[in-house]
Amino acid sequence: MIGAAASSEAVSHTCLCELKRSKCQQLATGSGKRKPATVHCKDTGHMNSRMAASSSRVMLGPLVAAIDQGTSSTRFLVFNAKTAELLSHHQVEINQSFPKEGWVEEDPKEILQSVYECMERTCEKLTQLNVDISNIKAIGVTNQRETTLVWDKETGEPLYNAIVWLDLRTQSTVERLINKTPGRNKNHLKHKTGLPISTYFSAVKLRWLMDNVDEVAEAVLTHRAMFGTVDSWLIWCLTGGKSGGVHCTDVTNASRTMLFNIHTLDWDPELCKYFDIPMEILPKVRSSSEIYGLMKICSSLKSGCLSGIPISGCLGDQSAALVGQMCFQEGQAKNTYGTGCFLLRNTGAKPVMSEHGLLTTVAYKLGRDKPACYALEGSVAIAGAVVRWLKDNLGIIQTSTELEKLAASVGTSYGCYFVPAFSGLYAPYWEPSARGIICGLTQFTNKSHLAFAALEAVCFQTREILDAMNQDSGIPLTQLQVDGGMTSNRLLMQLQADILCIPVVKPSMPETTALGAAMAAGAAEGVSVWSLRPEDLSEVTSEKFEPQINPEESEFRYARWKKAVQRAMNWETTEPISNGNGETSIFSSVPLGFYILGSMLMLIGAKYIAGHK
């Protein structure tokens, strides 16, 4: 349990000479936008050491903010709606708890508090820059998907920690659900949901909560329970909570629950019956770009100025990145490197069902009366999380930047391969029994080779997804657009180009997930300060990484990786064996169980032989 519309008026911006000139240039040029504002900053002397005698002005159009609530951190960012340049932001890390092996939780109250803190700090920064906060015309929300929450609508209190998307506690629930399908087929619901029955998705997490948490079961029975992913929790709280908060989600988040029909674009009664989940606890499904409700924040806070601003955009983080990368044309694709790794390819107005282990998902629906757009998606559970593992669990690095330096110091894994299947393997395998392995070790192998192997692992996993995507679409991708925190690692980006044998293109402005949410919010009917017409979209400068090794070497390394993946399979049974106290037995791991049992028999045999000498 958890513990305690809008006008496009220009805004004058005073650029104090005490602020560095680079800050002025950042505000002026952003990241290579189409029509950057012009800033001049000249020092005409000081009346005293604290006051500039003169200042310059930059003309800003309407502003749009975005809440970006990810797995490891929360951010609040403010963009210029006319140029798409980022003006200011603040970030707060989120704590994760691991109550048992394979369990991953976060505190819903901490998530909410982190949003408030980011808003407050960002508003303070804008005020210091003499930017008028009242010029923020809309707020978008983007969030970690599939993470599952249940709360009491009367008290506003969460009834359990948020179960994070990569949590594995529902393996036995998944096994039970698959067993009741014809032919034990994990794709039994795919024709409606686009998804396999997996621990990844929200419905099995919600089913686990209803089966195992008394407070949740009671709240469902007494009609007080509300279910939602992180977007629903935040929007409900920010629009009033128990005092009239709006309980909604958008089509992209809903499409990750396994309760949503991607063809009818609504909750499906048959799916809800299959999981035995009452439809009354589900949020109302809305488009990704419309006014859901108005912000309500304490007026005594700096961020109280945001009260009354419409929340008008909502996209799951990977859909938001697709929009932020402006992949609006069928066939365009992007890969986001965060805690996990997520490659989405726009398939247009019709859902395409994968024959090669990919997911079919709703990419976006940018308006109530606009058509939905779909995507094929390949999901990798562990990407950036491998950096945290090397830092927190092994202690071989102190910061993420050290990983790149270590790997670059050797420039090779020296035959070492790392399969970070800490939460099983997602696309294209969907194999929860897999576990992480490191193989190909020699006496020469050191931590630098392991660091290189960890980066290669992210690239190999992306290659597997891209191969599946090319097979499903029949049209090979000619370049890959990338974003996310790990793209700051230049060695990783070069490795990715080498392993894919196609160019990798990274935008100069890396905050594409938040940008996508801001675009959806600013374009909403009743706000209309951000045009999504292709001719009006700002051009984005980018950096391109070209392949630098020959394809034969790339194929050789990839074949070795595939060999390592096969060795990672079938390490765990899918249904843990309990010892009667709710704890998992050591025999839940079949190889470990045989090893221990064999060792015990050998000891007994040795004792018996010794006693008869």
Side-chain angles (χ1 to χ4, degrees):
M1 291 300 294
I2 59 169
S7 66
S8 58
E9 62 202 290
V11 177
S12 63
H13 162 53
T14 304
C15 180
L16 298 180
C17 293
E18 281 84 1
L19 293 175
K20 291 183 179 179
R21 191 176 192 84
S22 61
K23 173 61 75 175
C24 298
Q25 292 302 320
Q26 178 187 347
L27 286 172
T29 61
S31 50
K33 304 302 174 191
R34 188 178 69 256
K35 294 179 181 178
T38 302
V39 172
H40 305 284
C41 186
K42 55 184 179 179
D43 186 358
T44 58
H46 293 266
M47 294 293 291
N48 54 51
S49 61
R50 297 183 181 180
M51 294 183 63
S54 68
S55 61
S56 304
R57 293 178 183 275
V58 59
M59 303 302 288
L60 299 177
L63 311 180
V64 179
I67 297 164
D68 182 356
Q69 205 299 299
T71 313
S72 57
S73 70
T74 298
R75 290 178 295 174
F76 187 71
L77 309 93
V78 177
F79 297 89
N80 185 325
K82 296 303 180 187
T83 63
E85 59 192 305
L86 175 62
L87 300 181
S88 186
H89 78 285
H90 189 77
Q91 181 171 357
V92 171
E93 285 195 9
I94 297 293
N95 293 308
Q96 293 179 353
S97 59
F98 308 92
K100 296 181 183 178
E101 184 182 353
W103 292 30
V104 189
E105 298 179 358
E106 292 178 351
D107 184 343
K109 286 186 171 180
E110 182 188 346
I111 291 173
L112 179 61
Q113 186 54 43
S114 71
V115 171
Y116 285 130
E117 183 178 345
C118 287
M119 286 178 168
E120 186 71 6
R121 298 288 87 81
T122 303
C123 287
E124 287 177 358
K125 292 175 183 178
L126 290 171
T127 301
Q128 290 168 4
L129 292 171
N130 286 339
V131 173
D132 188 354
I133 299 169
S134 68
N135 210 42
I136 297 174
K137 304 302 180 186
I139 296 172
V141 175
T142 181
N143 57 286
Q144 52 173 310
R145 303 170 303 170
E146 300 94 16
T147 296
T148 301
L149 302 91
V150 179
W151 64 95
D152 188 314
K153 65 183 177 184
E154 293 180 6
T155 65
E157 291 293 314
L159 297 170
Y160 193 79
N161 272 342
I163 301 181
V164 177
W165 55 273
L166 46 67
D167 184 283
L168 282 177
R169 77 186 66 192
T170 56
Q171 282 190 35
S172 58
T173 305
V174 167
E175 186 71 21
R176 188 173 73 248
L177 290 166
I178 291 175
N179 281 340
K180 71 176 188 178
T181 67
R184 298 192 72 254
N185 180 12
K186 66 184 175 186
N187 292 317
H188 178 65
L189 306 177
K190 197 170 183 178
H191 67 291
K192 281 190 173 185
T193 65
L195 313 171
I197 302 172
S198 164
T199 59
Y200 186 15
F201 306 110
S202 306
V204 291
K205 294 175 169 62
L206 177 55
R207 185 66 258 162
W208 186 93
L209 286 166
M210 292 169 64
D211 291 339
N212 293 277
V213 180
D214 291 342
E215 292 86 345
V216 172
E218 183 186 348
V220 170
L221 285 173
T222 55
H223 309 288
R224 298 189 338 269
M226 282 184 160
F227 153 78
T229 42
V230 172
D231 57 308
S232 297
W233 166 245
L234 292 180
I235 292 173
W236 185 77
C237 292
L238 293 172
T239 56
K242 61 183 180 180
S243 303
V246 178
H247 189 211
C248 70
T249 189
D250 90 300
V251 289
T252 68
N253 282 292
S255 73
R256 313 297 293 191
T257 61
M258 297 200 78
L259 302 172
F260 182 80
N261 188 317
I262 60 173
H263 306 283
T264 64
L265 298 178
D266 208 347
W267 303 121
D268 189 288
E270 289 184 3
L271 291 171
C272 291
K273 185 177 180 181
Y274 179 84
F275 288 98
D276 194 19
I277 289 170
M279 295 184 73
E280 67 176 30
I281 73 173
L282 306 178
K284 181 176 175 59
V285 181
R286 311 277 285 271
S287 76
S288 307
S289 178
E290 61 178 273
I291 295 175
Y292 313 114
L294 305 180
M295 289 280 291
K296 293 182 181 177
I297 298 183
C298 179
S299 59
S300 63
L301 298 172
K302 185 76 69 179
S303 54
C305 297
L306 301 175
S307 227
I309 294 174
I311 299 176
S312 53
C314 181
L315 291 153
D317 51 9
Q318 304 314 317
S319 289
L322 194 74
V323 172
Q325 287 268 30
M326 300 175 197
C327 295
F328 295 123
Q329 300 300 314
E330 187 175 339
Q332 289 183 311
K334 68 86 203 173
N335 196 27
T336 298
Y337 300 76
T339 299
C341 209
F342 305 90
L343 203 163
L344 269 70
R345 183 168 186 158
N346 189 326
T347 62
K350 291 186 178 179
V352 174
M353 292 297 165
S354 173
E355 299 296 327
H356 299 92
L358 302 180
L359 309 177
T360 304
T361 195
V362 179
Y364 51 80
K365 187 178 187 294
L366 297 174
R368 281 177 292 188
D369 303 321
K370 299 290 177 65
C373 188
Y374 296 87
L376 278 172
E377 175 175 340
S379 308
V380 169
I382 304 295
V386 77
V387 182
R388 176 177 278 193
W389 183 80
L390 290 170
K391 179 171 72 75
D392 296 343
N393 292 41
L394 295 194
I396 69 171
I397 55 173
Q398 299 301 313
T399 64
S400 57
T401 53
E402 284 183 46
L403 185 67
E404 182 176 5
K405 292 177 184 176
L406 269 180
S409 70
V410 288
T412 176
S413 69
Y414 200 75
C416 171
Y417 289 84
F418 185 177
V419 183
F422 303 150
S423 297
L425 287 169
Y426 283 14
Y429 302 101
W430 299 106
E431 184 49 71
S433 71
R435 286 296 178 270
I437 65 165
I438 300 169
C439 56
L441 300 175
T442 70
Q443 206 167 8
F444 181 72
T445 308
N446 60 36
K447 65 180 182 180
S448 297
H449 299 120
L450 181 57
F452 194 95
L455 293 181
E456 272 194 319
V458 176
C459 301
F460 286 133
Q461 289 178 105
T462 298
R463 167 73 188 268
E464 289 192 297
I465 292 171
L466 192 61
D467 283 358
M469 207 163 271
N470 287 338
Q471 287 177 288
D472 278 326
S473 67
I475 306 171
L477 201 66
T478 56
Q479 71 173 29
L480 181 65
Q481 293 173 233
V482 299
D483 57 74
M486 289 191 82
T487 60
S488 61
N489 187 320
R490 296 178 59 81
L491 175 60
L492 176 68
M493 294 296 96
Q494 186 57 56
L495 278 173
Q496 188 68 89
D498 291 344
I499 289 166
L500 295 181
C501 300
I502 59 173
V504 168
V505 181
K506 171 192 168 186
S508 301
M509 204 287 287
E511 306 294 349
T512 52
T513 302
L515 177 61
M519 290 167 66
E525 183 182 352
V527 178
S528 304
V529 297
W530 204 309
S531 173
L532 297 184
R533 292 181 303 179
E535 63 271 22
D536 293 334
L537 292 171
S538 301
E539 294 176 8
V540 178
T541 59
S542 58
E543 181 177 10
K544 183 179 283 192
F545 295 84
E546 299 279 357
Q548 292 182 354
I549 64 173
N550 63 59
E552 290 78 16
E553 182 184 345
S554 176
E555 290 303 318
F556 173 79
R557 284 154 63 178
Y558 183 48
R560 284 282 191 94
W561 157 263
K562 299 280 278 186
K563 195 174 176 181
V565 168
Q566 291 308 311
R567 282 161 170 71
M569 297 290 193
N570 303 313
W571 279 88
E572 293 284 337
T573 60
T574 54
E575 213 163 333
I577 301 167
S578 172
N579 62 12
N581 297 318
E583 299 296 327
T584 302
S585 163
I586 55 172
F587 294 98
S588 64
S589 168
V590 173
L592 180 61
F594 281 133
Y595 173 77
I596 294 172
L597 189 59
S599 299
M600 289 168 65
L601 289 172
M602 287 172 66
L603 285 169
I604 292 167
K607 240 179 181 180
Y608 178 81
I609 292 167
H612 285 76
K613 278 188 176 178

